[in-house]
């Protein structure tokens, strides 16, 4: 596992340690993490703070050129909301830890020219499988079911 996916996985573990949903993300620009985050819906009572959204928020306001030169790493396939943010800001590449437990809007992303690198990282898969088994109610809430 590379350092950026490891950073995203560390964020996911922080989220579950806080009583939240274990999905983490980092935004990388020119080899440097400029934003990191994890799903904080439970912790903040938020409807939008998925891991990817939290990483974008924590990166702060950036020029459009920065997003167009960045890579988003996420432990889980991006949902429709997060995929929309990826498209809105023109992020050209997304590295996905796994899409076995949940497959988001990958078809939309690829149809719009976003490069996807799906890794099927065992650590990401194990974390989500455990969470879904132990907290199906919270997981279903997070994905809108």
């Amino acid at each position: 596992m590379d350092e950026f996916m490891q950073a995203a996985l560390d964020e996911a573990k922080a989220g579950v340690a806080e009583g939240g949903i274990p999905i983490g993300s980092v935004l990388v620009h020119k080899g440097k993490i400029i934003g990191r985050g994890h799903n904080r819906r439970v912790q903040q009572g938020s409807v939008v703070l998925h891991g990817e959204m939290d990483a974008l928020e924590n990166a702060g306001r950036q020029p459009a050129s920065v997003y167009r030169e960045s890579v988003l790493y996420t432990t889980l396939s991006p949902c429709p909301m997060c995929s929309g943010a990826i498209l809105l800001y023109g992020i050209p590449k997304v590295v996905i830890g796994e899409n076995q437990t949940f497959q988001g809007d990958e078809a939309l992303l690829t149809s719009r020219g976003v490069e996807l690198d799906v890794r099927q990282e065992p650590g990401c898969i194990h974390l989500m499988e455990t969470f879904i088994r132990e907290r199906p109610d919270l997981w279903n809430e997070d994905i809108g079911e």
Side-chain angles (χ1 to χ4, degrees):
M1 181 177 305
D2 69 39
E3 66 179 299
F4 301 126
M5 185 55 68
Q6 184 62 57
L9 184 56
D10 291 345
E11 286 291 327
K13 290 176 180 176
V16 78
E18 295 168 331
I21 298 159
I23 302 166
S25 185
V26 294
L27 183 65
V28 177
H29 180 251
K30 296 185 176 181
K32 180 181 177 216
I33 295 174
I34 61 170
R36 60 178 64 231
H38 53 272
N39 187 305
R40 295 179 194 262
R41 289 187 66 247
V42 172
Q43 302 92 311
Q44 300 290 328
S46 172
V47 298
V48 296
L49 280 182
H50 281 190
E52 299 91 335
M53 303 297 275
D54 194 40
L56 288 168
E57 179 71 16
N58 289 328
R61 186 174 166 197
Q62 300 290 331
S65 61
V66 169
Y67 298 113
R68 289 193 300 265
E69 297 171 340
S70 292
V71 178
L72 184 70
Y73 287 74
T74 181
T75 58
L76 187 65
S77 183
C79 76
M81 175 180 66
C82 296
S83 294
I86 290 162
L87 295 174
L88 178 66
Y89 290 106
I91 297 168
K93 182 175 181 178
V94 180
V95 180
I96 299 169
E98 66 104 350
N99 66 1
Q100 290 181 14
T101 60
F102 174 80
Q103 184 161 356
D105 247 340
E106 293 178 21
L108 173 64
L109 291 170
T110 56
S111 77
R112 298 280 295 274
V114 177
E115 178 187 348
L116 301 182
D117 177 0
V118 182
R119 303 273 177 93
Q120 306 303 8
E121 293 283 357
C124 296
I125 295 167
H126 176 72
L127 192 61
M128 281 309 300
E129 285 179 341
T130 301
F131 179 78
I132 291 168
R133 184 175 57 253
E134 293 176 357
R135 295 297 314 269
D137 56 327
L138 196 52
W139 171 239
N140 289 334
E141 174 192 324
D142 195 60
I143 58 172
E145 289 189 6

